[in-house]
Structure formats: structure tokens, C-alpha cells
Short mmCIF file of all heavy atoms in Angstrom, two decimals:
data_model
loop_
_atom_site.label_atom_id
_atom_site.label_comp_id
_atom_site.label_asym_id
_atom_site.label_seq_id
_atom_site.Cartn_x
_atom_site.Cartn_y
_atom_site.Cartn_z
N GLY A 1 -25.31 -27.97 -2.81
CA GLY A 1 -24.05 -28.68 -2.54
C GLY A 1 -23.11 -28.63 -3.73
O GLY A 1 -21.89 -28.43 -3.57
N ILE A 2 -23.64 -28.80 -4.93
CA ILE A 2 -22.81 -28.76 -6.14
C ILE A 2 -22.24 -27.35 -6.35
O ILE A 2 -21.05 -27.19 -6.68
CB ILE A 2 -23.62 -29.21 -7.37
CG1 ILE A 2 -23.96 -30.69 -7.26
CG2 ILE A 2 -22.85 -28.94 -8.66
CD1 ILE A 2 -24.90 -31.19 -8.33
N ILE A 3 -23.08 -26.33 -6.14
CA ILE A 3 -22.62 -24.94 -6.30
C ILE A 3 -21.45 -24.66 -5.36
O ILE A 3 -20.39 -24.13 -5.77
CB ILE A 3 -23.77 -23.95 -6.02
CG1 ILE A 3 -24.82 -24.04 -7.13
CG2 ILE A 3 -23.24 -22.52 -5.90
CD1 ILE A 3 -26.08 -23.24 -6.85
N TRP A 4 -21.59 -25.01 -4.09
CA TRP A 4 -20.53 -24.71 -3.13
C TRP A 4 -19.33 -25.63 -3.30
O TRP A 4 -18.20 -25.24 -2.95
CB TRP A 4 -21.09 -24.79 -1.71
CG TRP A 4 -21.81 -23.54 -1.34
CD1 TRP A 4 -23.15 -23.28 -1.50
CD2 TRP A 4 -21.24 -22.35 -0.79
NE1 TRP A 4 -23.44 -22.01 -1.07
CE2 TRP A 4 -22.29 -21.42 -0.63
CE3 TRP A 4 -19.95 -21.99 -0.40
CZ2 TRP A 4 -22.07 -20.15 -0.11
CZ3 TRP A 4 -19.73 -20.72 0.12
CH2 TRP A 4 -20.79 -19.82 0.26
N SER A 5 -19.53 -26.79 -3.86
CA SER A 5 -18.38 -27.65 -4.17
C SER A 5 -17.49 -26.99 -5.22
O SER A 5 -16.25 -27.07 -5.14
CB SER A 5 -18.86 -29.01 -4.67
OG SER A 5 -19.53 -29.73 -3.65
N TYR A 6 -18.11 -26.34 -6.19
CA TYR A 6 -17.33 -25.62 -7.20
C TYR A 6 -16.70 -24.37 -6.62
O TYR A 6 -15.58 -24.00 -6.99
CB TYR A 6 -18.21 -25.26 -8.39
CG TYR A 6 -18.38 -26.39 -9.38
CD1 TYR A 6 -19.60 -27.05 -9.51
CD2 TYR A 6 -17.32 -26.82 -10.17
CE1 TYR A 6 -19.75 -28.10 -10.41
CE2 TYR A 6 -17.46 -27.87 -11.07
CZ TYR A 6 -18.67 -28.50 -11.18
OH TYR A 6 -18.81 -29.54 -12.07
N ILE A 7 -17.41 -23.69 -5.70
CA ILE A 7 -16.82 -22.51 -5.06
C ILE A 7 -15.56 -22.88 -4.29
O ILE A 7 -14.56 -22.17 -4.31
CB ILE A 7 -17.86 -21.85 -4.13
CG1 ILE A 7 -18.99 -21.22 -4.94
CG2 ILE A 7 -17.19 -20.79 -3.24
CD1 ILE A 7 -20.12 -20.67 -4.10
N TYR A 8 -15.59 -24.03 -3.61
CA TYR A 8 -14.47 -24.48 -2.79
C TYR A 8 -13.43 -25.29 -3.57
O TYR A 8 -12.42 -25.69 -2.98
CB TYR A 8 -14.98 -25.33 -1.63
CG TYR A 8 -15.61 -24.56 -0.50
CD1 TYR A 8 -16.80 -25.00 0.09
CD2 TYR A 8 -15.01 -23.41 0.00
CE1 TYR A 8 -17.37 -24.31 1.15
CE2 TYR A 8 -15.57 -22.72 1.05
CZ TYR A 8 -16.76 -23.16 1.63
OH TYR A 8 -17.31 -22.47 2.67
N HIS A 9 -13.66 -25.53 -4.84
CA HIS A 9 -12.75 -26.39 -5.61
C HIS A 9 -11.32 -25.82 -5.56
O HIS A 9 -11.10 -24.62 -5.79
CB HIS A 9 -13.21 -26.49 -7.06
CG HIS A 9 -12.58 -27.60 -7.82
ND1 HIS A 9 -11.31 -27.52 -8.34
CD2 HIS A 9 -13.03 -28.83 -8.16
CE1 HIS A 9 -11.01 -28.64 -8.95
NE2 HIS A 9 -12.04 -29.46 -8.86
N PRO A 10 -10.32 -26.64 -5.27
CA PRO A 10 -8.95 -26.11 -5.09
C PRO A 10 -8.33 -25.56 -6.36
O PRO A 10 -7.47 -24.67 -6.29
CB PRO A 10 -8.16 -27.32 -4.57
CG PRO A 10 -8.96 -28.51 -4.98
CD PRO A 10 -10.39 -28.09 -4.96
N GLN A 11 -8.72 -26.06 -7.55
CA GLN A 11 -8.13 -25.59 -8.80
C GLN A 11 -8.99 -24.54 -9.51
O GLN A 11 -8.49 -23.50 -9.94
CB GLN A 11 -7.89 -26.76 -9.77
CG GLN A 11 -6.62 -27.54 -9.48
CD GLN A 11 -6.80 -28.54 -8.37
OE1 GLN A 11 -7.82 -29.22 -8.30
NE2 GLN A 11 -5.80 -28.64 -7.49
N ILE A 12 -10.28 -24.81 -9.63
CA ILE A 12 -11.14 -23.91 -10.42
C ILE A 12 -12.14 -23.15 -9.55
O ILE A 12 -13.01 -22.46 -10.08
CB ILE A 12 -11.90 -24.71 -11.51
CG1 ILE A 12 -12.80 -25.76 -10.86
CG2 ILE A 12 -10.92 -25.36 -12.47
CD1 ILE A 12 -13.71 -26.49 -11.85
N GLY A 13 -12.04 -23.29 -8.24
CA GLY A 13 -12.99 -22.64 -7.34
C GLY A 13 -12.82 -21.14 -7.29
O GLY A 13 -11.70 -20.61 -7.31
N ILE A 14 -13.95 -20.42 -7.17
CA ILE A 14 -13.91 -18.96 -7.16
C ILE A 14 -13.28 -18.43 -5.87
O ILE A 14 -12.67 -17.35 -5.87
CB ILE A 14 -15.34 -18.38 -7.34
CG1 ILE A 14 -15.28 -16.86 -7.54
CG2 ILE A 14 -16.23 -18.73 -6.16
CD1 ILE A 14 -16.61 -16.25 -7.92
N LEU A 15 -13.38 -19.18 -4.77
CA LEU A 15 -12.81 -18.70 -3.52
C LEU A 15 -11.30 -18.60 -3.61
O LEU A 15 -10.71 -17.55 -3.27
CB LEU A 15 -13.22 -19.63 -2.37
CG LEU A 15 -12.67 -19.27 -0.99
CD1 LEU A 15 -13.04 -17.84 -0.60
CD2 LEU A 15 -13.17 -20.25 0.07
N ASN A 16 -10.64 -19.64 -4.04
CA ASN A 16 -9.18 -19.59 -4.20
C ASN A 16 -8.76 -18.58 -5.26
O ASN A 16 -7.70 -17.94 -5.15
CB ASN A 16 -8.64 -20.97 -4.54
CG ASN A 16 -8.49 -21.86 -3.31
OD1 ASN A 16 -8.56 -21.38 -2.18
ND2 ASN A 16 -8.30 -23.14 -3.53
N PHE A 17 -9.58 -18.43 -6.30
CA PHE A 17 -9.29 -17.43 -7.34
C PHE A 17 -9.30 -16.02 -6.74
O PHE A 17 -8.41 -15.21 -7.03
CB PHE A 17 -10.32 -17.54 -8.46
CG PHE A 17 -10.20 -16.46 -9.49
CD1 PHE A 17 -9.24 -16.53 -10.50
CD2 PHE A 17 -11.05 -15.36 -9.46
CE1 PHE A 17 -9.13 -15.52 -11.45
CE2 PHE A 17 -10.95 -14.36 -10.41
CZ PHE A 17 -9.99 -14.44 -11.41
N LEU A 18 -10.30 -15.72 -5.89
CA LEU A 18 -10.37 -14.39 -5.28
C LEU A 18 -9.23 -14.17 -4.31
O LEU A 18 -8.67 -13.07 -4.24
CB LEU A 18 -11.72 -14.24 -4.57
CG LEU A 18 -12.96 -14.16 -5.46
CD1 LEU A 18 -14.23 -14.12 -4.63
CD2 LEU A 18 -12.89 -12.94 -6.37
N LEU A 19 -8.87 -15.20 -3.55
CA LEU A 19 -7.74 -15.06 -2.64
C LEU A 19 -6.45 -14.79 -3.41
O LEU A 19 -5.61 -13.98 -2.98
CB LEU A 19 -7.59 -16.34 -1.80
CG LEU A 19 -8.69 -16.60 -0.77
CD1 LEU A 19 -8.50 -17.96 -0.12
CD2 LEU A 19 -8.71 -15.50 0.30
N ASP A 20 -6.30 -15.46 -4.53
CA ASP A 20 -5.14 -15.24 -5.38
C ASP A 20 -5.13 -13.83 -5.94
O ASP A 20 -4.09 -13.18 -6.04
CB ASP A 20 -5.13 -16.28 -6.50
CG ASP A 20 -3.77 -16.38 -7.19
OD1 ASP A 20 -2.76 -16.00 -6.56
OD2 ASP A 20 -3.74 -16.82 -8.35
N ALA A 21 -6.32 -13.35 -6.31
CA ALA A 21 -6.43 -12.03 -6.94
C ALA A 21 -6.09 -10.90 -5.98
O ALA A 21 -5.59 -9.85 -6.41
CB ALA A 21 -7.84 -11.83 -7.50
N VAL A 22 -6.36 -11.09 -4.69
CA VAL A 22 -6.10 -10.01 -3.73
C VAL A 22 -4.77 -10.22 -2.99
O VAL A 22 -4.49 -9.55 -1.99
CB VAL A 22 -7.25 -9.90 -2.71
CG1 VAL A 22 -8.54 -9.52 -3.40
CG2 VAL A 22 -7.41 -11.19 -1.91
N GLY A 23 -3.95 -11.15 -3.47
CA GLY A 23 -2.63 -11.34 -2.92
C GLY A 23 -2.57 -12.18 -1.66
O GLY A 23 -1.63 -12.06 -0.88
N LEU A 24 -3.56 -13.01 -1.44
CA LEU A 24 -3.58 -13.87 -0.26
C LEU A 24 -3.39 -15.33 -0.67
O LEU A 24 -4.13 -16.22 -0.25
CB LEU A 24 -4.90 -13.70 0.50
CG LEU A 24 -5.19 -12.31 1.08
CD1 LEU A 24 -6.57 -12.24 1.68
CD2 LEU A 24 -4.13 -11.95 2.14
N GLU A 25 -2.35 -15.57 -1.47
CA GLU A 25 -2.11 -16.93 -1.95
C GLU A 25 -1.88 -17.92 -0.82
O GLU A 25 -2.24 -19.09 -0.92
CB GLU A 25 -0.90 -16.96 -2.90
CG GLU A 25 -1.07 -16.15 -4.17
CD GLU A 25 -0.64 -14.70 -3.99
OE1 GLU A 25 -0.41 -14.29 -2.83
OE2 GLU A 25 -0.52 -13.98 -5.01
N SER A 26 -1.31 -17.44 0.28
CA SER A 26 -1.02 -18.34 1.40
C SER A 26 -2.28 -18.85 2.08
O SER A 26 -2.24 -19.83 2.82
CB SER A 26 -0.14 -17.63 2.43
OG SER A 26 -0.79 -16.48 2.94
N TRP A 27 -3.41 -18.19 1.82
CA TRP A 27 -4.68 -18.62 2.42
C TRP A 27 -5.38 -19.69 1.59
O TRP A 27 -6.37 -20.26 2.05
CB TRP A 27 -5.61 -17.42 2.59
CG TRP A 27 -5.17 -16.46 3.67
CD1 TRP A 27 -3.91 -16.29 4.16
CD2 TRP A 27 -6.00 -15.54 4.37
NE1 TRP A 27 -3.89 -15.31 5.11
CE2 TRP A 27 -5.16 -14.82 5.27
CE3 TRP A 27 -7.33 -15.21 4.32
CZ2 TRP A 27 -5.64 -13.83 6.11
CZ3 TRP A 27 -7.83 -14.22 5.16
CH2 TRP A 27 -6.98 -13.55 6.04
N LYS A 28 -4.90 -19.92 0.39
CA LYS A 28 -5.56 -20.90 -0.47
C LYS A 28 -5.44 -22.30 0.11
O LYS A 28 -4.38 -22.68 0.61
CB LYS A 28 -4.94 -20.85 -1.88
CG LYS A 28 -5.20 -19.55 -2.62
CD LYS A 28 -4.35 -19.43 -3.87
CE LYS A 28 -4.62 -20.53 -4.85
NZ LYS A 28 -3.85 -20.34 -6.11
N LYS A 29 -6.54 -23.05 0.04
CA LYS A 29 -6.56 -24.40 0.59
C LYS A 29 -7.43 -25.30 -0.27
O LYS A 29 -8.23 -24.83 -1.08
CB LYS A 29 -7.12 -24.39 2.03
CG LYS A 29 -6.26 -23.68 3.05
CD LYS A 29 -6.87 -23.76 4.43
CE LYS A 29 -6.00 -23.03 5.45
NZ LYS A 29 -4.70 -23.70 5.64
N ALA A 30 -7.27 -26.59 -0.04
CA ALA A 30 -8.23 -27.56 -0.55
C ALA A 30 -9.33 -27.65 0.51
O ALA A 30 -9.29 -28.50 1.41
CB ALA A 30 -7.56 -28.91 -0.78
N TRP A 31 -10.30 -26.77 0.43
CA TRP A 31 -11.22 -26.50 1.52
C TRP A 31 -12.00 -27.72 1.99
O TRP A 31 -12.28 -27.85 3.18
CB TRP A 31 -12.18 -25.38 1.12
CG TRP A 31 -11.48 -24.10 0.84
CD1 TRP A 31 -11.10 -23.61 -0.37
CD2 TRP A 31 -11.03 -23.14 1.81
NE1 TRP A 31 -10.45 -22.41 -0.23
CE2 TRP A 31 -10.39 -22.09 1.09
CE3 TRP A 31 -11.11 -23.06 3.20
CZ2 TRP A 31 -9.84 -20.99 1.73
CZ3 TRP A 31 -10.56 -21.97 3.84
CH2 TRP A 31 -9.93 -20.94 3.11
N LEU A 32 -12.35 -28.61 1.08
CA LEU A 32 -13.17 -29.75 1.44
C LEU A 32 -12.38 -31.03 1.71
O LEU A 32 -12.95 -32.03 2.15
CB LEU A 32 -14.22 -30.02 0.35
CG LEU A 32 -15.21 -28.88 0.09
CD1 LEU A 32 -16.19 -29.26 -1.00
CD2 LEU A 32 -15.95 -28.50 1.37
N SER A 33 -11.10 -31.01 1.43
CA SER A 33 -10.28 -32.20 1.68
C SER A 33 -9.20 -31.98 2.74
O SER A 33 -8.47 -32.90 3.08
CB SER A 33 -9.62 -32.67 0.38
OG SER A 33 -8.84 -31.65 -0.20
N ASP A 34 -9.11 -30.78 3.27
CA ASP A 34 -8.19 -30.47 4.36
C ASP A 34 -8.93 -30.67 5.68
O ASP A 34 -9.87 -29.93 6.00
CB ASP A 34 -7.69 -29.03 4.23
CG ASP A 34 -6.61 -28.70 5.25
OD1 ASP A 34 -6.54 -29.39 6.29
OD2 ASP A 34 -5.86 -27.73 5.03
N LYS A 35 -8.54 -31.67 6.45
CA LYS A 35 -9.27 -32.02 7.67
C LYS A 35 -9.31 -30.88 8.69
O LYS A 35 -10.21 -30.83 9.52
CB LYS A 35 -8.66 -33.27 8.30
CG LYS A 35 -8.87 -34.54 7.49
CD LYS A 35 -8.51 -35.78 8.30
CE LYS A 35 -7.03 -35.84 8.60
NZ LYS A 35 -6.68 -37.11 9.31
N SER A 36 -8.34 -29.99 8.62
CA SER A 36 -8.29 -28.92 9.61
C SER A 36 -9.33 -27.83 9.38
O SER A 36 -9.68 -27.09 10.30
CB SER A 36 -6.89 -28.30 9.64
OG SER A 36 -6.59 -27.67 8.39
N VAL A 37 -9.84 -27.72 8.15
CA VAL A 37 -10.78 -26.63 7.85
C VAL A 37 -12.07 -27.12 7.21
O VAL A 37 -13.02 -26.33 7.06
CB VAL A 37 -10.14 -25.59 6.91
CG1 VAL A 37 -8.94 -24.94 7.57
CG2 VAL A 37 -9.75 -26.21 5.57
N SER A 38 -12.15 -28.38 6.81
CA SER A 38 -13.29 -28.85 6.01
C SER A 38 -14.62 -28.67 6.74
O SER A 38 -15.61 -28.22 6.14
CB SER A 38 -13.10 -30.31 5.61
OG SER A 38 -12.88 -31.12 6.75
N MET A 39 -14.67 -29.00 8.04
CA MET A 39 -15.93 -28.89 8.76
C MET A 39 -16.38 -27.45 8.90
O MET A 39 -17.56 -27.13 8.75
CB MET A 39 -15.78 -29.54 10.14
CG MET A 39 -17.12 -29.78 10.84
SD MET A 39 -18.17 -30.90 9.94
CE MET A 39 -19.68 -29.94 9.80
N PHE A 40 -15.42 -26.56 9.13
CA PHE A 40 -15.77 -25.14 9.27
C PHE A 40 -16.17 -24.55 7.92
O PHE A 40 -17.04 -23.68 7.85
CB PHE A 40 -14.59 -24.37 9.87
CG PHE A 40 -14.23 -24.83 11.24
CD1 PHE A 40 -13.16 -25.69 11.46
CD2 PHE A 40 -14.97 -24.43 12.35
CE1 PHE A 40 -12.82 -26.12 12.73
CE2 PHE A 40 -14.65 -24.86 13.63
CZ PHE A 40 -13.57 -25.71 13.81
N ALA A 41 -15.54 -25.03 6.84
CA ALA A 41 -15.92 -24.57 5.51
C ALA A 41 -17.36 -24.95 5.19
O ALA A 41 -18.09 -24.20 4.53
CB ALA A 41 -14.97 -25.14 4.46
N LEU A 42 -17.79 -26.11 5.66
CA LEU A 42 -19.14 -26.58 5.37
C LEU A 42 -20.21 -25.80 6.12
O LEU A 42 -21.37 -25.78 5.70
CB LEU A 42 -19.26 -28.06 5.71
CG LEU A 42 -18.55 -29.02 4.75
CD1 LEU A 42 -18.56 -30.43 5.33
CD2 LEU A 42 -19.21 -29.02 3.38
N THR A 43 -19.84 -25.14 7.22
CA THR A 43 -20.85 -24.38 7.95
C THR A 43 -21.31 -23.15 7.17
O THR A 43 -22.43 -22.68 7.37
CB THR A 43 -20.30 -23.93 9.32
OG1 THR A 43 -19.15 -23.09 9.13
CG2 THR A 43 -19.92 -25.12 10.17
N VAL A 44 -20.48 -22.64 6.27
CA VAL A 44 -20.85 -21.44 5.50
C VAL A 44 -22.05 -21.72 4.59
O VAL A 44 -23.04 -20.97 4.65
CB VAL A 44 -19.64 -20.92 4.70
CG1 VAL A 44 -20.06 -19.73 3.84
CG2 VAL A 44 -18.50 -20.53 5.63
N PRO A 45 -22.03 -22.75 3.73
CA PRO A 45 -23.23 -23.01 2.93
C PRO A 45 -24.44 -23.40 3.77
O PRO A 45 -25.58 -23.12 3.37
CB PRO A 45 -22.81 -24.16 2.01
CG PRO A 45 -21.60 -24.75 2.61
CD PRO A 45 -20.92 -23.64 3.34
N ILE A 46 -24.22 -24.03 4.92
CA ILE A 46 -25.35 -24.37 5.78
C ILE A 46 -26.02 -23.11 6.30
O ILE A 46 -27.25 -22.98 6.28
CB ILE A 46 -24.88 -25.26 6.95
CG1 ILE A 46 -24.49 -26.64 6.43
CG2 ILE A 46 -25.97 -25.38 8.02
CD1 ILE A 46 -23.87 -27.54 7.49
N ILE A 47 -25.21 -22.13 6.76
CA ILE A 47 -25.77 -20.86 7.21
C ILE A 47 -26.48 -20.15 6.07
O ILE A 47 -27.62 -19.68 6.20
CB ILE A 47 -24.66 -19.97 7.80
CG1 ILE A 47 -24.11 -20.59 9.10
CG2 ILE A 47 -25.17 -18.56 8.07
CD1 ILE A 47 -22.89 -19.87 9.65
N TRP A 48 -25.81 -20.08 4.92
CA TRP A 48 -26.36 -19.37 3.75
C TRP A 48 -27.68 -19.99 3.29
O TRP A 48 -28.61 -19.27 2.92
CB TRP A 48 -25.32 -19.42 2.64
CG TRP A 48 -25.76 -18.83 1.34
CD1 TRP A 48 -25.83 -17.50 1.01
CD2 TRP A 48 -26.17 -19.55 0.16
NE1 TRP A 48 -26.25 -17.35 -0.29
CE2 TRP A 48 -26.48 -18.59 -0.83
CE3 TRP A 48 -26.32 -20.90 -0.13
CZ2 TRP A 48 -26.91 -18.94 -2.10
CZ3 TRP A 48 -26.74 -21.26 -1.40
CH2 TRP A 48 -27.05 -20.29 -2.36
#
């Protein structure tokens, strides 16, 4: 849970960093605090 919390972190998370690096800034989100995507974001670490 801690590992994936850092991955999804809106400021220092690696996911938003990678999206920024490949030019997909519009896809960046606060993954765990945005009600529209938070539940779906949590399914990824559960599957993994």
C-alpha cells in the first residue's frame, strides 16, 4: 500500500512523472483523491 501510494502521489509519484515525460500532462491526476478515478486506480495494485 505504501509503495503504490508513492507511485500515485500527485506531486512526487512516478506515474505522473512518466505521464509528464511522454507529453501526456493532461492525463495527470490526484489518483487517490479524485473520486472519479480513485476506485479504478486501486484495482491495479490489487491485481498486481
Side-chain angles (χ1 to χ4, degrees):
I2 292 173
I3 291 172
W4 280 91
S5 294
Y6 278 110
I7 291 174
Y8 284 136
H9 196 281
Q11 279 81 43
I12 61 173
I14 189 172
L15 178 56
N16 279 347
F17 173 80
L18 291 175
L19 291 174
D20 196 23
V22 297
L24 297 174
E25 297 89 349
S26 60
W27 289 24
K28 293 169 61 176
K29 293 182 181 293
W31 298 97
L32 299 180
S33 57
D34 186 339
K35 291 192 294 184
S36 64
V37 298
S38 55
M39 194 62 234
F40 298 100
L42 287 171
T43 60
V44 176
I46 290 174
I47 293 173
W48 175 79

